[in-house]
Each structure stands twice: as structure tokens, then as C-alpha cells.
Amino acid sequence: VDELAHTNAPGSRHEKRWQDVEELLAAGIEVISTVNIQHLESLHDVVERITGATQREVIPDSIVRSADQVHLVDQTPEALRRRMAHGNIYRGDRVDAALANYFRVGNLSALRELALMWVADQVDDGLQSYRERHGISDGWETRERIVVAITGAPSGDQVIRRAARIASRLRGELLGVRVRPTDGLASTESSALDVQKQLLGALGGRYREVASADVAKSLIDVARSVNATQIVMGSSRRSRWNELVQGSVINDVIRLSGNIDIQIISPDAVDERAKLARPMLPDRVEALSRRRRIIAWVLALVIPLVLTAVLHFVGDGLGFASDLLLFLSGSVAVATVGGLSPALASAIASSLLLNWFFTEPLYTLSISEPENLLALVVFVLLAGLVGVLVSRAARQAADAARSRGEAETLAAMAALSNAVDDPLPAMLTQISHALGATGASCLRRQHGGEWVAVASEGVNPPTSPDDAASWAPIDDESVVALSGAGLGDDVEVLTSFCAQITTVLQQQELRREAAAAQQLTEVNDLRAALLAAVSHDLRTPLAAIKASASSLRQTDIVWPDSVRAEFVETIEVQTDRLTDLVTNLLGMSRIQSGAVQLHRHPAGVDEIVSAAIAGLDLRGITVDIDIDPGLPPWNVDPDLVERVIANLIDNAVKWSPRDRPVRVTASVTGDDVSLLVIDHGPGIPRERRDEVFEPFQRLGDGTVGGTGLGLAVAKGLTQVSGGRLEIDDTPGGGTTMVLRLAAVSA
């Protein structure tokens, strides 16, 4: 049953062909079928982004995964294109358009890689299922897979880079695993963790996060689930006492690892310059609000006094144990509201009142019964423990909120750095909103020591660090300064934001330097090429015109009419050649200087092509035009695109043999309309295709005339118009120039 993803004709028993296959399988019939990678449900959106073609027929991956055997029919892009060119796939009239659009080498290479990866995942899944069915917990070294533990620690970058180097040397996969504790007491610097996740992605690794109270066991479980061969971890900087009390994750991982190799990386010491560059950080902000702490202190004073008065009024109706529980409840209530300090104050006051009023002997601080003394001591310790837990939980909640806000701000700043030409003002606005500042400035120190604002936002932004309520360094000469009250506690957060601004400033500086260098290089290249053109390409037609005109002016020789006509034709041809050269020189100059002005409006593809051909000397070469008048129009400047098409057709005519026509076709590709100019000349080697778009570059043996500017001008005007100009092979030999421009949306 061929083409598993096919849609059946209306009126069939099932809508989809794979449903027919399911019915056959249910009847006990074995089925062999085929499916293309672009039809898989999990990949069709990726294929659409790669090829620009929407797949209307998709099939659930589970249908294919349920097969007893999956066999990959693999073929190189070049071999598949040869089959296409020979007519083994499509009819002859569809071959050129298919090769220039969907069946391009890049598209086929990407689809081939997707297919290989999908089948490789199938093999991994099958291997994992086999191990689970047979109770095999040890990993099999079918392929090197390196798991690196990510913690957000300052030395994590070095550990990740080391793991990436190991994976690269072994040609293995890299997986970063973050085990997030579930006890609610551990915290992580979110900014450092985000940076390490980005670094892992940049090094080609995948990221996975799991939540567990047992870090070591979860890390080993993840490593075994992916059949990992090595685990890379950073060495611990905790004290021996801390490890004895809380345990060692590294030791637990080594104990549980089995046949998985464990590598412990000893990171270098933290750069002392980085420590010196950071300003002294103030104490952290209280997790509990000031109002809540005031209420707790009032309760710490009132509750013991009220309980003492009530219990003293009741008299001997309650025993010491009941009195103790009531006072303990009051201290716990104080701890819940205000944390450790009010709880301890309430517990100590309550214990003294209990001792004085309710412990024998009464109205003294003496205690006659030892169990009462023990009860009071436990009472104070228990109240203090509750206060510690409340304070720590409040601290964790505050840290989580701060980290979440910091992460959101950093994500917004990262998005701005990629989406905006000058993101500094918007990034300063983000920082101001995140930290509650009234104004923000990015300040740079001049040679004279004065501070100059590179960018400012808000009300009364600082003009120097001395005027700021808070500031943090970007580099040795730049700082971010904030104005407003109560910002001292957020200097650490501000420092992490500055790291993002540092990246933006470096990118801007690099872009400026690269643009200046590129412009200088292009100007120098254009100047040198222009000198070469003036010395050769201008002189040659001028010499021919001069010789022909001088011959016609001679009075001592009577030229035959045929010779005189030949002289006139030479003058006309060489004049046209000069006109084309000057036009292309002016066009190249306008492109290089950025002086091209666009006047966009909808224009029919067939109309522009007809206008372009009307002004060309086709040199006796036939040009076949096959363009559907019903194609969507281009949204372009018609004059510029006409020049592009004229240069493409002129180039094709120069290289085409006289017995093979040049073909011009067009088709819709996604949101674009693609124009193909197809010749059957010698073709352009793949490794030299970029050269033909450079000014004054001519390939071949020099027998074909021209200045080498036509394709360079065509490429430049295409880019100015927002389109793409690509080179492809013509089946059977030759070159196909593919011009892609945006169509007018319906």
C-alpha cells in the first residue's frame, strides 16, 4: 500500500490511507508502505520553514513508530536531482521549476538530515525499550553521550566548556542536566543559570531540568535514561564539616554510577579583577515587610501579657502543661508573622512569665521540678526553630520573586538587543521599571575625567556616578547609574543587568568597526576595478568607434557600401556597449553609496520581463518566455527589477549556444514569485558562484565579452528590492538564475 500519508478520494471507506492500513493490519495482513519525511506530523512545520512549501497531507508519528520495521531509503541530493532531471519523478515540463524550488540541494540536504535523525531516534527508542524489557539498567556504550551537571555556580561555565570539549573529541552528544531541589530551601542565581543554559546551547548541547529531593539519584537516572557514558561535574567548594552534615552529592553520584564514568572538574579560582570591579554590596533586603515586623513585635509584647492575665484570672483551672501549650501557641503565632527575632523575644518573655506566675514555687524565678525546667527550655527552642523556618521560607520567597523579575528583565533585554538597532534606551527603561528607579543613564568617562551620558531615560537621570543613588560598572570606562530612593539593596541585580548592556555595547562597536572596514574594502575594490575598466573596457569600444569613424572620414579611399555599413554597425554596437557599461557603472555606484531610491507598486511579472527583453540585443539567440499572466504581481520598483532581469537575460544570451534557446519561466513559491532564467551554456562551478556577483569578475576563457558588472548590479538591485538572487544548475548542463521577489498579498 504505497504512500502512507495519502488522502483517499471522496467517498472512500476511510479518509486517510493509513486508516486503510490499520484495517488491513487488524485483519492479520502484513503491509509494506512508504512515507516521506515531510509528511510526519512532528516535522512538517520544520519542513515548511526549510522549503517554503506547506504540506497538506500529514500523518501522526505514532503510526510510523508502531511499524515492526522502519527502513530508511537514503539517497544523496545530487543523485535525487539527477533522477529528477532524467524525468524519473516528474514530467518534463515540471522538472525545471521543481529543481529550482523544492528540490534544491540545500532543501534536500536538510530533509535528508531530518530523516537520518528521526530514524536514529527510533533506534535509540528501540534500544531503550529492549533494555527495559530485559531489566538491563547499565548503559550500553553504543555512542558516547556526555551528561554535564548544571548548578548555576560561578564555575559552571568552565565545567560546561570542559564537557563540550570531551564530547567534541569523542564525537558524542552533550546533555546538560539541572536537578532542581524540591525542599524549597535552596536557591540559585537565576542569571548565572540562564547564562549557562545559553552557553550550553551555543556549544551544541541540549538542556533538561528535573525536580527531585535526591539530586544524585535523579542525575544518575537521567544519565541512564539517555544511555550516557560519562557524567561531568564541578568539584565542591563546601567545607568538610558541611559535607559531613549535609552529605556529598559527588560521593553519592560516584556510589550510584555503576559503569558510567564520572569526571570531576576542578575549576580555576575566580578572577580577582572581577571581584575588585564590583562595588561593595550592602546587606540584603529584609524578606518580611516593615509593617509585618512591627505587627509581630506588638504581638510579641501583647500576647504573653494577655495570656498571663487570662490564665491568672482563671486560676488553677488549668495545669502547667496546658499553660505551656497556650504560651507556645502564642509564640508560634508571633513567629509565623514576624520570623525569628520577635519569636525569640516572645518565647523568652513567655518563659519568664510562666516561671514567675505558674511554676512552683510561685512568684520566684526558681524551679523546683526538673521536668518544668526542661519544658521551658524546649519551649524556647521550639519557638526559635519555627521562627527560623518562617524567616528562611520568607527569604526564599523573596529571592524567588527577585530572581523571576530579574530573569524576565534579562529576557526582555536580550530580545531588545536583537530586535532594535539602538537598544540602549529601551534597556535602561527596562532596568528602571525592574528596580523602581526614576531615571537611568549609561555614562562613559572621557579622557579629561568628565562623564558623558551615552543614553538616558526617565526623570532627572544621573549625569555622573556621584549624583546617582546606585550604580554599577559596565567596563573600565562606563557605568549604569540610577536615580531614586531605596536602590542600594539592588546593586547586585543591577550588576547582572550591566553584563547584558556590556554585550550590546561590544556588539555595537564591532558592528561599527565591521561596517567601516567593509565600506573601506568595497570602496578600494571598486576603485581598483573601475581603473581596470577604464583602462580596458572603455578603451576597447572607444578605439573601435574611433577607427570606424576615422575610416568613414577618409576622402582618399572609396569604401564599398557593404564596408561603410560595417563601419556604421561597429559604431552602433560599440556605442551600445559603452552605454551598457556606463549604465552598469552608475548602477554599481548608486548601490555602493546607498543612493538607490525605491518606488514600489504592484507590477505584473510578464510585463516587466517583456520590457526588459525589448531593449536587449539577443545576438540571434531565441528566448522562450513561459509565464502565466495570472501569477500574482510583484510588489517592487519596476524600473529596478527590469534592469535586473535585463542583465540576467543578457548574461544567459552571452553564454548560450546558438542552437539552444534561453528559457524564462515563473512560479509561485510560498509568499514569493520566482523567476527562472535558464541557459544551456558551460555552467558555473559551485565553488565559484559567489565570484560572479562581485564587480568586474568574468569567468571563462575571455572569449565572451562584457565588463563583469551585469550580475553584480543585478545582485545589488535585488537585495535593495528585498529579494534574493540564486544560482542553480540546469539539468543537462548550464546555469539557472533564480530571482525571488515578494508577491502582492491577496
Side-chain angles (χ1 to χ4, degrees), residues 275-580:
K275 292 182 178 179
L276 296 176
R278 293 171 66 95
M280 294 298 294
L281 301 179
D283 294 335
R284 300 178 68 180
V285 67
E286 290 290 339
L288 299 173
S289 65
R290 183 171 180 271
R291 179 174 177 272
R292 186 170 170 178
R293 284 183 281 119
I294 291 175
I295 292 175
W297 280 107
V298 172
L299 293 177
L301 175 64
V302 172
I303 288 178
L305 295 177
V306 171
L307 284 174
T308 301
V310 171
L311 293 175
H312 195 269
F313 176 77
V314 173
D316 297 333
L318 300 174
F320 177 75
S322 299
D323 297 339
L324 184 65
L325 287 175
L326 289 173
F327 275 98
L328 178 60
S329 300
S331 297
V332 169
V334 173
T336 304
V337 175
L340 179 60
S341 298
L344 284 178
S346 175
I348 294 172
S350 298
S351 64
L352 292 175
L353 292 172
L354 274 168
N355 188 11
W356 184 270
F357 288 101
F358 305 105
T359 305
E360 297 292 340
L362 300 177
Y363 310 118
T364 68
L365 295 179
S366 301
I367 300 176
S368 59
E369 298 180 11
E371 60 268 20
N372 291 342
L373 175 61
L374 178 61
L376 290 174
V377 172
V378 172
F379 165 70
V380 174
L381 293 177
L382 186 58
L385 178 60
V386 173
V388 169
L389 293 177
V390 170
S391 297
R392 184 172 295 183
R395 175 72 66 190
Q396 294 301 320
D399 287 347
R402 288 163 58 91
S403 298
R404 185 168 58 253
E406 179 183 349
E408 291 174 354
T409 303
L410 284 172
M413 293 172 66
L416 287 171
S417 65
N418 297 324
V420 183
D421 292 335
D422 184 13
L424 272 181
M427 294 175 80
L428 291 176
T429 301
Q430 288 282 348
I431 294 175
S432 298
H433 291 167
L435 302 183
T438 58
S441 298
C442 178
L443 305 174
R444 182 179 294 277
R445 196 203 316 267
Q446 301 299 308
H447 295 296
E450 297 180 355
W451 292 93
V452 175
V454 179
S456 299
E457 285 295 319
V459 180
N460 297 324
T463 57
S464 72
D466 296 335
D467 300 334
S470 180
W471 63 273
I474 298 175
D475 51 38
D476 293 339
E477 302 296 332
S478 303
V479 300
V480 169
L482 303 179
S483 59
L487 296 172
D489 295 325
D490 287 317
V491 174
E492 186 174 4
V493 179
L494 178 58
T495 303
S496 64
F497 291 159
C498 287
Q500 189 72 34
I501 294 182
T502 301
T503 303
V504 172
L505 292 177
Q506 291 173 348
Q507 290 176 348
Q508 289 181 337
E509 184 64 25
L510 288 175
R511 279 197 294 265
R512 284 193 294 268
E513 293 177 358
Q518 179 68 20
Q519 186 176 10
L520 182 61
T521 300
E522 292 175 354
V523 170
N524 289 336
D525 292 344
L526 187 61
R527 182 183 296 114
L530 183 59
L531 290 175
V534 171
S535 63
H536 180 269
D537 295 305
L538 287 176
R539 185 166 53 187
T540 300
L542 285 175
I545 293 172
K546 175 66 175 178
S548 298
S550 299
S551 299
L552 289 173
R553 287 172 54 86
Q554 288 182 336
T555 58
D556 55 340
I557 299 178
V558 179
W559 302 105
D561 292 340
S562 59
V563 175
R564 294 177 64 85
E566 184 177 346
F567 286 153
V568 173
E569 182 181 1
T570 299
I571 293 174
E572 289 180 345
V573 169
Q574 297 301 326
T575 301
D576 291 339
R577 182 179 175 184
L578 276 178
T579 301
D580 290 340

Side-chain angles (χ1 to χ4, degrees), residues 67-388:
D68 296 321
Q69 294 183 22
V70 176
H71 178 69
L72 175 65
V73 182
D74 185 28
Q75 201 169 35
T76 64
E78 291 76 12
L80 186 56
R81 285 171 59 85
R82 281 197 299 271
R83 293 190 66 237
M84 173 71 73
H86 293 157
N88 297 334
I89 302 176
Y90 287 165
R91 297 192 309 270
D93 58 345
R94 298 176 58 192
V95 169
D96 291 337
L99 289 174
N101 293 290
Y102 193 89
F103 286 85
R104 287 179 292 167
V105 173
N107 290 355
L108 296 178
S109 298
L111 294 179
R112 184 189 188 196
E113 183 175 355
L114 283 176
L116 291 170
M117 292 173 61
W118 194 89
V119 173
D121 288 341
Q122 280 290 99
V123 174
D124 279 348
D125 292 343
L127 178 61
Q128 183 66 21
S129 299
Y130 178 86
R131 291 170 56 213
E132 291 175 356
R133 288 197 305 270
H134 291 78
I136 302 173
S137 59
D138 293 337
W140 286 356
E141 298 181 10
T142 55
R143 182 179 181 182
E144 292 288 344
R145 289 183 174 88
I146 313 301
V147 169
V148 55
I150 297 179
T151 62
S155 58
D157 293 3
Q158 296 170 318
V159 177
I160 294 173
R161 290 191 177 93
R162 180 66 177 275
R165 290 196 295 270
I166 295 173
S168 177
R169 285 196 297 267
L170 299 176
R171 297 184 180 277
E173 296 180 0
L174 178 63
L175 174 67
V177 178
R178 154 77 172 156
V179 181
R180 175 167 45 84
T182 58
D183 53 14
L185 299 179
S187 63
T188 303
E189 289 292 338
S190 62
S191 59
L193 186 61
D194 289 339
V195 170
Q196 290 173 14
K197 289 165 61 176
Q198 294 175 5
L199 175 62
L200 178 71
L203 295 174
R206 295 180 293 122
Y207 178 78
R208 180 180 296 184
E209 183 170 321
V210 296
S212 173
D214 192 338
V215 176
K217 183 177 182 303
S218 297
L219 188 61
I220 291 295
D221 289 344
V222 172
R224 284 179 176 159
S225 70
V226 299
N227 210 22
T229 56
Q230 297 187 44
I231 297 177
V232 180
M233 306 176 67
S235 63
S236 175
R237 295 185 178 275
R238 296 189 301 167
S239 64
R240 293 292 182 89
W241 171 255
N242 201 326
E243 289 185 358
L244 288 174
V245 173
Q246 299 185 2
S248 172
V249 174
I250 293 178
N251 292 338
D252 293 342
V253 169
I254 294 174
R255 179 173 52 84
L256 299 172
S257 62
N259 64 342
I260 302 177
D261 296 336
I262 309 298
Q263 295 209 36
I264 309 301
I265 308 302
S266 179
D268 299 332
V270 180
D271 188 359
E272 293 297 326
R273 287 192 310 165
K275 292 182 178 179
L276 296 176
R278 293 171 66 95
M280 294 298 294
L281 301 179
D283 294 335
R284 300 178 68 180
V285 67
E286 290 290 339
L288 299 173
S289 65
R290 183 171 180 271
R291 179 174 177 272
R292 186 170 170 178
R293 284 183 281 119
I294 291 175
I295 292 175
W297 280 107
V298 172
L299 293 177
L301 175 64
V302 172
I303 288 178
L305 295 177
V306 171
L307 284 174
T308 301
V310 171
L311 293 175
H312 195 269
F313 176 77
V314 173
D316 297 333
L318 300 174
F320 177 75
S322 299
D323 297 339
L324 184 65
L325 287 175
L326 289 173
F327 275 98
L328 178 60
S329 300
S331 297
V332 169
V334 173
T336 304
V337 175
L340 179 60
S341 298
L344 284 178
S346 175
I348 294 172
S350 298
S351 64
L352 292 175
L353 292 172
L354 274 168
N355 188 11
W356 184 270
F357 288 101
F358 305 105
T359 305
E360 297 292 340
L362 300 177
Y363 310 118
T364 68
L365 295 179
S366 301
I367 300 176
S368 59
E369 298 180 11
E371 60 268 20
N372 291 342
L373 175 61
L374 178 61
L376 290 174
V377 172
V378 172
F379 165 70
V380 174
L381 293 177
L382 186 58
L385 178 60
V386 173
V388 169

Side-chain angles (χ1 to χ4, degrees), residues 573-640:
V573 169
Q574 297 301 326
T575 301
D576 291 339
R577 182 179 175 184
L578 276 178
T579 301
D580 290 340
L581 174 61
V582 172
T583 301
N584 281 327
L585 282 173
L586 290 175
M588 200 70 228
S589 176
R590 291 169 61 200
I591 293 171
Q592 294 282 358
S593 62
V596 179
Q597 299 293 326
L598 289 177
H599 302 284
R600 293 183 183 271
H601 60 81
V605 180
D606 53 340
E607 297 175 0
I608 298 179
V609 172
S610 299
I613 293 179
L616 292 177
D617 177 12
L618 300 181
R619 304 172 179 84
I621 301 295
T622 302
V623 177
D624 292 338
I625 301 176
D626 182 15
I627 298 178
D628 183 2
L631 285 175
W634 275 327
N635 184 27
V636 294
D637 185 325
D639 294 337
L640 296 185

